[in-house]
Amino acid sequence: MASKSEAAVSPALTAAICIGTYNQGQYLRGSIESALAQTYPISEIWIADDGSTDDTQAIVEEYSRTHSNVHYHRHASNMGPARNLSWVLGRPTTDLVVRLDSDDRLEPEYVEVLAGLMQRFPQAGYAHCDVWETDGDGNRSRLRQLTRTVVYEEPEDALKTNAMGLRTAAN
């Protein structure tokens, strides 16, 4: 991922963060807090609950009451992760959509750097970065390096790179 100074720009693109969740109330506060702590303005935060049976609903409703940009939808029954994520990713009306798993957290400058890169490379369809794995206490344990040696790859080159072994993680 590019450094903040390399990619940061003024907030010309609107951004949303989408969180799909199912029975992950014990992690959800950290995920939502990381979305709210972004240094870049976040227009919308969408949380789709796939029919959780834990305290997910109470947690998200608390945030919805205190943050007008947090939108919550609870499906009446479990649709499965693919349908739940498709539903939530279709809600934002923003230029950029960031997918965040409910047991993951974003670094505070994540969206700022992403927006800068997407403005710098408007032809790009998606972006990804390295991922820190953490233990149960939130301590960083291992860096999964997913970045390439270039900041932007043309679509045909990216396809070839992926076919040769480099992978793109969901985050």
Side-chain angles (χ1 to χ4, degrees), residues 16-83:
I17 297 174
C18 293
I19 304 169
T21 191
Y22 177 70
N23 285 342
Q24 292 198 322
Q26 72 269 29
Y27 306 113
L28 194 53
R29 286 185 195 280
S31 179
I32 295 169
E33 289 292 335
S34 78
L36 291 169
Q38 291 300 299
T39 58
Y40 191 88
I42 304 301
S43 302
E44 306 170 17
I45 298 172
W46 286 89
I47 302 163
D49 178 359
D50 202 10
S52 295
T53 57
D54 64 359
D55 58 348
T56 292
Q57 184 171 0
I59 291 168
V60 181
E61 285 178 347
E62 175 187 322
Y63 283 97
S64 295
R65 281 191 300 273
T66 57
H67 296 86
S68 61
N69 64 336
V70 175
H71 307 284
Y72 174 63
H73 177 79
R74 185 179 191 282
H75 297 292
S77 61
N78 187 282
M79 300 172 25
R83 288 181 61 205

Side-chain angles (χ1 to χ4, degrees), residues 26-27 30 103-105 107 132-142:
Q26 72 269 29
Y27 306 113
D103 62 344
D104 289 344
R105 296 178 183 175
E107 294 290 331
W132 277 104
E133 292 181 1
T134 58
D135 62 21
D137 297 321
N139 300 310
R140 292 179 174 180
S141 59
R142 182 172 78 109

Side-chain angles (χ1 to χ4, degrees), residues 82-97:
R83 288 181 61 205
N84 188 42
L85 288 173
S86 291
W87 186 92
V88 75
L89 291 171
R91 299 305 118 200
T93 59
T94 56
D95 300 312
L96 299 175
V97 175

Side-chain angles (χ1 to χ4, degrees), residues 99-113:
R99 179 179 164 235
L100 175 60
D101 288 336
S102 57
D103 62 344
D104 289 344
R105 296 178 183 175
L106 298 173
E107 294 290 331
E109 295 172 342
Y110 180 86
V111 178
E112 183 177 353
V113 173

